[in-house]
Amino acid sequence: MTIRTAITVNGKDTSREVEARTLLVHYLREELGLTGTHIGCDTSNCGACTVLLDGEAAKSCTIFAAQIHDCHVTTIEGAAQADGSFSPMQEGFRQEHGLQCGYCTPGMIMASTALLTENPNPTEEEIRHALEGNLCRCTGYEMIVNAVRWAAENPNFTSGGVK
Amino acid sequence: MSLVGARVLRKEDPNLITGNGQYVDDLQPAGCTSMVFVRSTEAHAKIRSIDTAEALALPGVLAVWTSANIAQLANCPGGLPGLDQPLLAKDVVRFVGEGVAVVVATDRYIAADAAELIIVDYEPLPAVASLSAAMAPGAVVLHEVLGGNTVHFQDFENPLDEAFAAAPRTASMHIVNNRCAPSPIEPNVCLADWGRSGLTLWAAFQAPHHLRNTIAQYFGIPQDSTRVVAPDVGGGFGAKINFVPEFFLTALLSKEIGKPVKYTQTRSECLVAMLHGRAQEHDATVAFDNDGRILALKLTVTQDQGAYPNGTGMGLPVLTTAMAAGCYRIPAVAISWRNVVTNTTPVAAYRGAGRPEASFTIERLIDLIADETGVDPVEVRRRNFIPVDAFPYATHSPLAMYDSGNFAGALDELLKHVNYDELKKEQEKRRQDPAAKLLGIGFSSWLEIAGFGPPGSLEAFGHLASWESAQVRIQPDGSAIIFTGASPHGQGTVTTYAQIAADELGIDFDRISVKHGDTAVVPQGIGTMGSRAVAVGGEGVKTASGRVYENAKRIAAHLLEASAEDIIIEDEKFFVKGTPARSVPWSEVAWKSFQPLELPGGMEPGALDSTVFQQVPNFSFPSGAYCCVVEIDRETGGVNIVNMYLVDDCGTVINPLLVEGQVHGGVAQGIAQALYEHMLYDPSGVPRTSTFMDYLVPAASDLPGYITGRINTPNPSNTLGAKGVGESGSVGAPPAVVNAVVDALSHLGVKHIDMPVTPIKVWNILEGAK
């Protein structure tokens, strides 16, 4: 059974006839070719697939594409600023060495971005709690916490269009 | 300004923070198909029949294979002859997760549907899911050719009976080093495209040339038309060095159906099919005097190999027993080991591979000696350290010739950060207050063997050689590309190598690129494992860069009509020392290096291109001192790490930011082994932790912050002085954590708790003491 779904992804309207069971993460990766959103588990524990769904962090491996007809999704490919600068969160991860292999990073950045929308100045404990649903096997997390703090302290970061 | 030692941000990051990384699953060539496994649900069973008819009939299914389709093929490489794993189970399955059939379909949903339609009829056999069960008299035998379940037993050369009989005191421990699942967040993924011009295999792998050599040999095809690419790889931790059936099956099926075939492991599969780590049991006895000085050590390691032993797994107890004495001067050491098969997932390298097991046992023994003698654990360490003037120090093992270190110095540095006396007072105070959480302080003075390795060392694990390749290739504009046989998957090697090369070449860091992971591009290679990327591969980059620089100086001298010995470089300009006004830029030297008419006599175009196969004379020996402070909740038994102090000696640091990241990551995995992770089986061999719901990879809220310090004793085996740091944390952290927990509970008579130290274990101890 197929269903037509229309989703705005990174500001662009997309529409596809999909199988009802198509997961959002597969819609993004395979229908739209947005492969920055990753898959790391099958129980929604790891958070590698985290995207913003109408501004809130959501795990795209546990959502059907057809379920979010007419919604807005932001993926890591849409995280940068309009002038091409990294977002403060992207830059924070770079400055603080908040990534190693980079596989969990897109999900981590999207979850952290959602956190700062809710709480622009989180403590270390609040950051660690907010990121409970995102697993990183490389960093031991301290530098991810520092990256989120960097973004909180530099909300107006811009590289002046330099990518 | 030297870049070696500078906190440089990573070249890798811009792609990875924007979603532009390219992992294997991101590749989707035209016509790409999807392979899905049917994996055994039985730990040990005969296969009566496999019914594939319904799966084959499903629209979109292109192939369904069982062992019958590949009966003529050899078993999966990497195993022991006669005990190796078939690509797909033949007649018998020996662990839950073993591949029984594969389906290829036009997309992954259809392939998964078809796999569900395959009916496997099993006749269950008795299973042995633990070492004790496998070694019990009358236990079912996994491999008839063995006659039992012991693959190999290495007895003591001398059991030191006299030394133990004469010693004032002895103490013994049985220690279980818990089985862990490496669990990179990217599971195993591969994509094979076997067309008319040859085979290309993209694989999430740590050693692409190793895989290229093996897969070409396996299929009997030439290496020139066999290409393996490891693009961005989402973590490895040792688990992505192993040959698994997936690589060979996707290749074969691609050839069969004439389309690219991709396999993307699910997490549930990954936890049972990606090879596990640790899984050792130790019987250790130590002899010592009343002052806590160690007189003799005896260690037997029993290694669970899982169902199919492999070369790496067989090497683990060799490394463990080689490092059994840690950083202590022990007059007599006796080692023995046994490799045993069980109906569980095969075991191989996991971050540290044999060395975390060694450091855990010796560091637990040190605390046991402290407990028995009443000498403080810090003092017991001091009394037994190999002194700083004793290097090179020959151990009981020919593998482990310690070449440098300062174990007392690292402990001194650590104690500058830890207020030990205050903590001991606080511990005593809290013990008197039933409402207070218990406090424990644990130390670990650890040492590991890394920088693999001298000639012969990796050959013993089936690799081509133990060098690492580096090619430095100057471009006509004076920028440089470095090709390396190292195959990074998070370590930041691109950045590190560019730093090393920038210093040697005098070329700006931003005009140096590093390429890796493609056998069609990199001259040859070994790979990234055993903390070797800087100690061996980085040294190669330095050597090759130095050779290129010498030739560049000769060209510059020729252009400046000067002598090469007088030439120096600053800001990418060559000039005669003392006369910077007359200079020639790198870009001009590079351009003219390709023009025969511009070259000094005897030099040919291509002189600024150097390939090195870097050898090192010895392993390296990173060491350090860690301290863990824990609080224990008396009501729940929950352990909380209050502080984790880490002093590392990894020799010369190329990039402190990246070293810090490696230490944190290794320590996180060490804490995870100590407190959370355990790959568990029930007695019938059914895994009880086969999803991330029940296998506890820690999240940010489960781990502490880290307080780091450093000492530096340079590695004498390379000119960089670097020892390697990737595995250190996983070697040093577990004993510090468990020593802290045992210390917190020592007033209750607790001598040891096996990892992971879960709340229920601690709660039972606390309840038992009431």
Side-chain angles (χ1 to χ4, degrees):
Chain A
M1 175 187 151
T2 61
I3 299 181
R4 177 151 289 274
T5 185
I7 307 170
T8 305
V9 178
N10 300 331
K12 287 180 194 150
D13 293 336
T14 70
S15 179
R16 295 284 191 286
E17 192 80 29
V18 296
E19 272 195 75
R21 62 180 177 171
T22 302
L23 297 172
L24 175 58
V25 68
H26 288 139
Y27 181 84
L28 295 170
R29 289 178 55 83
E30 289 170 14
E31 293 291 332
L32 305 184
L34 296 171
T35 55
T37 303
H38 299 149
I39 303 167
C41 75
D42 37 27
T43 47
S44 77
N45 287 81
C46 85
C49 65
T50 306
V51 297
L52 299 185
L53 177 58
D54 291 336
E56 288 185 22
K59 291 183 175 175
S60 62
C61 75
T62 40
I63 297 168
F64 295 119
Q67 208 178 339
I68 57 160
H69 182 73
D70 277 348
C71 292
H72 288 254
V73 169
T74 307
T75 70
I76 190 69
E77 288 90 347
Q81 302 182 51
D83 70 353
S85 294
F86 298 140
S87 72
M89 192 60 71
Q90 287 172 313
E91 183 65 13
F93 272 73
R94 196 172 84 90
Q95 289 291 337
E96 297 294 336
H97 190 30
L99 66 151
Q100 291 182 26
C101 81
Y103 196 81
C104 76
T105 308
M108 207 58 94
I109 288 176
M110 300 320 283
S112 303
T113 302
L115 165 65
L116 290 200
T117 306
E118 246 175 64
N119 177 359
N121 193 23
T123 63
E124 176 184 340
E125 201 182 333
E126 287 168 337
I127 294 167
R128 287 182 181 273
H129 180 68
L131 295 180
E132 267 175 351
N134 290 72
L135 298 180
C136 168
R137 193 60 159 165
C138 295
T139 63
Y141 299 107
E142 180 171 316
M143 288 169 161
I144 289 176
V145 172
N146 295 346
V148 179
R149 282 301 315 162
W150 192 98
E153 284 158 20
N154 295 275
N156 300 316
F157 165 80
T158 168
S159 59
V162 179
K163 290 185 194 182
Chain B
M1 190 196 83
S2 174
L3 277 190
V4 167
R7 183 192 192 275
V8 177
L9 297 186
R10 296 204 316 173
K11 283 177 179 282
E12 290 90 337
D13 291 352
N15 271 339
L16 300 179
I17 60 176
T18 53
N20 287 301
Q22 199 167 65
Y23 302 87
V24 178
D25 196 32
D26 300 342
L27 305 169
Q28 197 70 12
C32 190
T33 64
S34 190
M35 183 178 91
V36 166
F37 271 89
V38 174
R39 294 188 181 275
S40 175
T41 53
E42 297 288 324
H44 199 193
K46 285 185 180 157
I47 299 173
R48 282 202 199 105
S49 65
I50 305 174
D51 182 351
T52 60
E54 267 193 82
L56 271 167
L58 194 71
V61 170
L62 303 171
V64 178
W65 276 9
T66 66
S67 68
N69 299 81
I70 52 170
Q72 74 287 5
L73 282 176
N75 288 342
C76 189
L80 268 56
L83 309 176
D84 39 6
Q85 183 178 345
L87 296 186
L88 291 168
K90 290 173 191 163
D91 307 328
V92 177
V93 290
R94 294 186 176 85
F95 69 95
V96 171
E98 183 171 358
V100 173
V102 283
V103 177
V104 177
T106 48
D107 82 39
R108 69 177 88 216
Y109 286 67
I110 295 170
D113 286 345
E116 289 290 312
L117 295 174
I118 292 173
I119 296 160
V120 185
D121 184 12
Y122 295 106
E123 180 186 330
L125 297 167
V128 286
S130 66
L131 287 168
S132 56
M135 293 190 292
V140 67
V141 171
L142 269 74
H143 300 275
E144 277 172 21
V145 61
L146 277 180
N149 291 321
T150 294
V151 185
H152 173 75
F153 175 59
Q154 179 76 40
D155 202 356
F156 297 113
E157 278 182 22
N158 171 358
L160 304 178
D161 292 340
E162 284 176 18
F164 277 90
R169 310 178 75 140
T170 64
S172 297
M173 272 185 149
H174 180 79
I175 290 175
V176 178
N177 207 287
N178 44 325
R179 177 186 284 251
C180 294
S183 305
I185 305 297
E186 177 199 37
N188 186 18
V189 190
C190 57
L191 164 62
D193 187 4
W194 195 338
R196 292 180 192 283
S197 59
L199 166 64
T200 301
L201 179 72
W202 290 267
F205 206 66
Q206 299 175 222
H209 287 83
H210 187 34
L211 182 53
R212 189 275 313 265
N213 298 348
T214 301
I215 205 162
Q217 187 176 34
Y218 181 85
F219 290 121
I221 54 176
Q223 294 180 358
D224 73 283
S225 53
T226 309
R227 179 183 176 202
V228 172
V229 186
D232 286 320
V233 174
F237 314 114
K240 291 179 181 171
I241 326 169
N242 304 303
F243 302 125
V244 284
E246 288 87 325
F247 301 133
F248 305 90
L249 288 168
T250 48
L252 275 169
L253 280 154
S254 173
K255 191 180 185 192
E256 170 79 10
I257 65 174
K259 290 173 186 293
V261 176
K262 190 200 284 184
Y263 167 69
T264 307
Q265 197 165 53
T266 67
R267 178 57 56 188
S268 314
E269 284 184 287
C270 184
L271 280 159
V272 295
M274 184 176 275
L275 274 48
H276 292 163
R278 312 291 187 258
Q280 289 185 357
E281 294 192 20
H282 291 192
D283 289 287
T285 306
V286 65
F288 50 99
D289 67 17
N290 291 322
D291 296 326
R293 285 191 177 77
I294 307 174
L295 305 172
L297 169 68
K298 205 159 90 168
L299 173 66
T300 298
V301 173
T302 308
Q303 174 75 57
D304 189 341
Q305 292 288 343
Y308 298 98
N310 63 76
T312 306
M314 296 289 286
L316 297 175
V318 177
L319 293 174
T320 304
T321 51
M323 298 307 291
C327 44
Y328 306 105
R329 179 146 64 181
I330 303 180
V333 179
I335 53 172
S336 153
W337 67 88
R338 185 191 300 271
N339 287 305
V340 176
V341 287
T342 61
N343 290 113
T344 61
T345 298
V347 173
Y350 169 49
R351 200 171 194 163
R355 293 96 86 200
E357 297 91 321
S359 72
F360 186 79
T361 290
I362 187 68
E363 289 303 292
R364 288 293 305 119
L365 288 172
I366 292 285
D367 274 30
L368 182 65
I369 293 168
D371 188 68
E372 297 273 325
T373 57
V375 180
D376 188 89
V378 167
E379 185 55 30
V380 175
R381 286 178 171 80
R382 287 195 193 286
R383 286 180 188 175
N384 289 287
F385 279 144
I386 296 163
V388 73
D389 58 8
F391 299 103
Y393 179 86
T395 67
H396 62 283
S397 165
L399 280 177
M401 170 66 82
Y402 301 165
D403 57 13
S404 60
N406 183 355
F407 311 129
L411 187 55
D412 289 344
E413 181 64 27
L414 180 74
L415 288 167
K416 286 182 196 165
H417 301 274
V418 181
N419 198 338
Y420 189 35
D421 293 338
E422 280 303 310
L423 285 167
K424 292 300 275 186
K425 280 184 205 153
E426 174 71 16
Q427 177 184 56
E428 207 40 56
K429 207 173 90 187
R430 290 197 190 187
R431 280 183 177 160
Q432 309 307 325
D433 176 4
K437 289 182 177 173
L438 292 167
L439 193 76
I441 309 118
F443 290 89
S444 138
S445 286
W446 56 271
L447 170 74
E448 63 148 335
I449 183 168
F452 282 65
S457 57
L458 286 175
E459 290 89 325
F461 290 93
H463 291 265
L464 171 64
S466 303
W467 41 255
E468 192 52 272
S469 70
Q471 182 182 33
V472 174
R473 218 189 260 180
I474 302 298
Q475 307 304 303
D477 69 350
S479 63
I481 305 177
I482 293 164
F483 299 84
T484 173
S487 195
H489 37 283
Q491 294 84 351
T493 304
V494 166
T495 303
T496 312
Y497 284 6
Q499 287 177 259
I500 294 168
D503 274 11
E504 296 302 309
L505 293 166
I507 293 176
D508 193 282
F509 174 79
D510 291 331
R511 302 210 304 139
I512 301 174
S513 292
V514 178
K515 306 291 179 195
H516 59 80
D518 186 343
T519 63
V521 173
V522 175
Q524 296 301 328
I526 303 301
T528 291
M529 59 243 159
S531 299
R532 68 192 307 272
V534 172
V536 186
E539 179 72 4
V541 170
K542 187 179 177 193
T543 306
S545 300
R547 289 181 188 172
V548 166
Y549 179 67
E550 286 308 311
N551 280 347
K553 270 202 327 190
R554 281 181 60 203
I555 298 170
H558 179 67
L559 297 173
L560 291 165
E561 297 176 331
S563 165
E565 296 85 73
D566 301 332
I567 299 289
I568 61 167
I569 188 165
E570 263 175 35
D571 297 332
E572 293 200 353
K573 290 188 183 75
F574 293 91
F575 55 88
V576 173
K577 197 174 180 189
T579 57
R582 192 165 166 265
S583 67
V584 54
W586 237 120
S587 55
E588 188 180 334
V589 170
W591 190 268
K592 289 183 172 166
S593 77
F594 293 98
Q595 299 177 321
L597 300 179
E598 302 286 352
L599 291 174
M603 191 178 276
E604 299 203 354
L608 303 188
D609 190 328
S610 174
T611 302
V612 165
F613 292 81
Q614 182 69 48
Q615 300 183 52
V616 291
N618 192 3
F619 296 100
S620 67
F621 297 90
S623 58
Y626 289 175
C627 174
C628 178
V629 180
V630 298
E631 280 181 346
I632 294 177
D633 187 317
R634 298 192 201 221
E635 297 301 314
T636 66
V639 174
N640 177 47
I641 295 180
V642 183
N643 271 313
M644 194 82 198
Y645 303 92
L646 313 165
V647 171
D648 273 82
D649 178 2
C650 61
T652 304
V653 168
I654 312 298
N655 185 328
L657 188 63
L658 304 193
V659 164
E660 190 102 346
Q662 289 299 307
V663 171
H664 287 189
V667 167
Q669 288 182 1
I671 295 172
Q673 185 185 6
L675 295 183
Y676 304 116
E677 295 184 19
H678 196 182
M679 195 65 213
L680 277 171
Y681 289 86
D682 77 9
S684 67
V686 174
R688 290 162 58 191
T689 49
S690 58
T691 73
F692 273 172
M693 300 290 277
D694 29 40
Y695 187 83
L696 293 180
V697 170
S701 48
D702 301 317
L703 290 170
Y706 314 102
I707 299 157
T708 56
R710 184 163 295 128
I711 67 162
N712 175 7
T713 63
N715 179 358
S717 292
N718 62 42
T719 65
L720 284 168
K723 297 182 176 183
V725 70
E727 295 164 290
S728 299
S730 63
V731 175
V737 175
V738 175
N739 283 344
V741 175
V742 172
D743 179 57
L745 301 169
S746 60
H747 62 298
L748 305 176
V750 173
K751 305 271 185 193
H752 179 66
I753 306 172
D754 273 323
M755 299 186 290
V757 181
T758 53
I760 187 69
K761 287 184 190 172
V762 176
W763 187 83
N764 279 331
I765 290 166
L766 291 165
E767 283 299 297
K770 275 183 185 169

